[in-house]
């Protein structure tokens, strides 16, 4: 194979990675709810959020996935099986401030 073919293959692989692979961030946690019950979870979930999410799921019989990822900031992803109202309620109880870099330095002052 000549250099142009190899370069073209590398470019195509790089483009595929950029389109499909680079969108995901670092997984913080993932919660799987099934008919209002927590089925499985991965990662470290803030205790207060876990409590409130389980309460909402139980009350409204939610089925779906709630996932937090960190890329440049923290994003909360909610699966399409959870309606918009419940997704917003989950976002309202999520402690984004725990993951905000600036809030940790706000109380520190140099003398």
């Amino acid at each position: 194979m000549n250099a142009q073919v190899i370069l073209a293959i590398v470019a195509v692989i790089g483009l595929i990675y950029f389109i499909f692979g680079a969108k995901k961030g670092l997984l913080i946690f993932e919660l799987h709810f099934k008919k209002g019950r927590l089925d499985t979870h991965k990662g470290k979930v803030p205790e207060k959020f876990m409590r409130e999410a389980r309460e909402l799921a139980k009350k409204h019989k939610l089925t779906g996935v709630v996932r937090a990822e960190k890329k440049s900031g923290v994003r909360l992803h909610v699966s399409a099986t959870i309606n918009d109202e419940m997704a917003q309620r989950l976002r309202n109880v999520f402690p984004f401030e725990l993951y905000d870099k600036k809030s940790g330095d706000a109380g520190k002052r140099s003398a």
Side-chain angles (χ1 to χ4, degrees):
M1 286 209 268
N2 63 23
Q4 289 179 336
V5 173
I6 293 173
L7 184 61
I9 291 171
V10 170
V12 169
I13 291 171
L15 183 62
I16 290 171
Y17 173 76
F18 179 75
I19 292 172
F20 296 106
K23 289 184 180 179
K24 286 194 171 185
L26 176 68
L27 179 70
I28 298 171
F29 67 80
E30 190 170 270
L31 303 171
H32 293 257
F33 292 101
K34 189 172 184 179
K35 297 180 184 175
R37 297 182 59 107
L38 182 64
D39 193 33
T40 60
H41 76 282
K42 293 185 219 178
K44 184 171 172 131
V45 185
E47 193 174 312
K48 185 178 177 186
F49 179 72
M50 174 71 97
R51 201 171 42 247
E52 292 180 13
R54 288 177 86 170
E55 185 179 310
L56 277 172
K58 184 177 181 181
K59 185 176 180 181
H60 299 282
K61 302 289 186 213
L62 296 182
T63 296
V65 178
V66 178
R67 183 177 70 241
E69 290 181 351
K70 186 171 189 172
K71 193 167 182 178
S72 57
V74 174
R75 291 189 47 116
L76 193 66
H77 299 277
V78 180
S79 66
T81 57
I82 298 174
N83 68 37
D84 291 341
E85 180 188 346
M86 287 301 113
Q88 185 59 53
R89 289 178 76 176
L90 288 165
R91 286 186 187 94
N92 289 346
V93 297
F94 184 72
F96 287 100
E97 64 276 1
L98 285 179
Y99 302 99
D100 186 13
K101 294 177 187 176
K102 296 175 186 173
S103 68
D105 296 336
K108 298 179 183 177
R109 293 188 178 187
S110 57

